[in-house]
Amino acid sequence: MDRRLVLTNEGARHPFRRSLPPPPPFVGAPRSRTREDAKLFLLSFSAFFTCFYTLIA
């Protein structure tokens, strides 16, 4: 009896992707990164403002 150890993903159309195992189920909601996004925005804004201001002055 020749059985594969990994079940195939019949939803995939390409032969290589069909041979890969199916993706794991989605568990829980993704974490909100609003604070990190705000910090990155402020850092980018201040860097741009500093560079732009030094070119004008």
Side-chain angles (χ1 to χ4, degrees):
M1 180 181 228
D2 187 22
R3 269 180 96 175
R4 299 179 83 176
L5 295 176
V6 177
L7 298 175
T8 60
N9 186 4
E10 284 81 16
R13 295 184 182 179
H14 193 273
F16 176 73
R17 296 188 83 190
R18 204 175 287 156
S19 68
L20 295 173
F26 181 69
V27 179
R31 290 185 354 186
S32 177
R33 299 186 334 183
T34 54
R35 175 167 274 171
E36 295 171 10
D37 290 341
K39 286 181 182 179
L40 181 62
F41 171 76
L42 289 175
L43 178 68
S44 302
F45 182 80
S46 60
F48 173 76
F49 181 77
T50 303
C51 291
F52 188 72
Y53 187 73
T54 55
L55 287 175
I56 291 178

